[in-house]
Amino acid sequence: MKMERILPFAKNLLDKAIRPGDVVVDATVGNGHDTAFLAELVGETGKVYGFDVQEEAIAATGKRLAEHHLLERVTLFHEGHEQLAAKIPTHDHGKITGAIFNLGYLPGSDKMIVTRPETTIAAIEQLLEMMAPEGIIVLVIYHGHDQGAVERDSLLRYCQQVDQKTAHVLQYQFINQQNNPPFIIAIEKR
Ligand code: SAM
C-alpha cells in the first residue's frame, strides 16, 4: 500500500514537529515504545515528560529507556495526564513542540484501566496553553472496545469545535476497514 498507515503517519507528524533539544510529552507511556521514540527525537539536550496511571507501565517504560540509554532525558510521572500543567516545571511551559496520546488500554494488562474522555480533554486543553506555536498533539484513537467508542465520540465532538484561530485539527482514518482500526486526530497549535 502506498498510502501511509496509521502509526507511521503519527510518527511522521511528530518527526516534523520535533527538533533536537525540544521539550515533548508522552501522555500515555504504557510500555514505553513512544517514549523511546520521542527520546530519540529530542536527543541528548532535549526533554520528554511521560505520564501513566499504572505503576506497571512506569516500570516497563523505565526499563525500556534504561536498556536504550535514554533514561536521562526523560522524566516519568506516575500520574494521570490531567496533571500535566501541575507536574511539568513552569520553565518548560511554552516550549513543548510535540505530544502523543496513545489511547485505550495497555495491551496484556487490565482492560478496565482505560483512558477517559474527560481527562484526555482536560490534558489537551492544558497542552494547548502550554505548547509552542506549531506544536503538534497526536491522538491515536482505539475505538474497538466499549469505552473506546465513547471516548471517540467525545473527542470528535470536542475537536470539531476547537476554534480554527487556535489550532488546525486533522482527522486521518481509513474508512472502509473492518474491526474498527485505530485512527488519528492531530492538533497543531497556531
Ligand atoms: N504508547 C504506549 C506504548 O508504547 O506501549 C501504549 C499506551 S496504552 C494504549 C494506554 C495507556 O494509558 C495505559 O498504559 C494506561 O494505563 C494509560 N492511562 C489511562 N488513563 C490515563 C491517564 N489519565 N493519564 C495517563 N495515562 C493513562
Side-chain angles (χ1 to χ4, degrees), residues 26-35 51-54 57 79-82 102-107 113-116 119 142:
D26 186 350
T28 54
V29 299
N31 287 321
H33 297 97
D34 296 327
T35 326
F51 293 81
D52 206 291
V53 290
Q54 294 192 70
E79 299 275 356
H81 40 231
E82 61 279 13
N102 210 307
L103 300 174
Y105 57 84
L106 184 61
I113 304 176
V114 290
T115 51
R116 306 270 170 185
T119 42
Y142 291 83

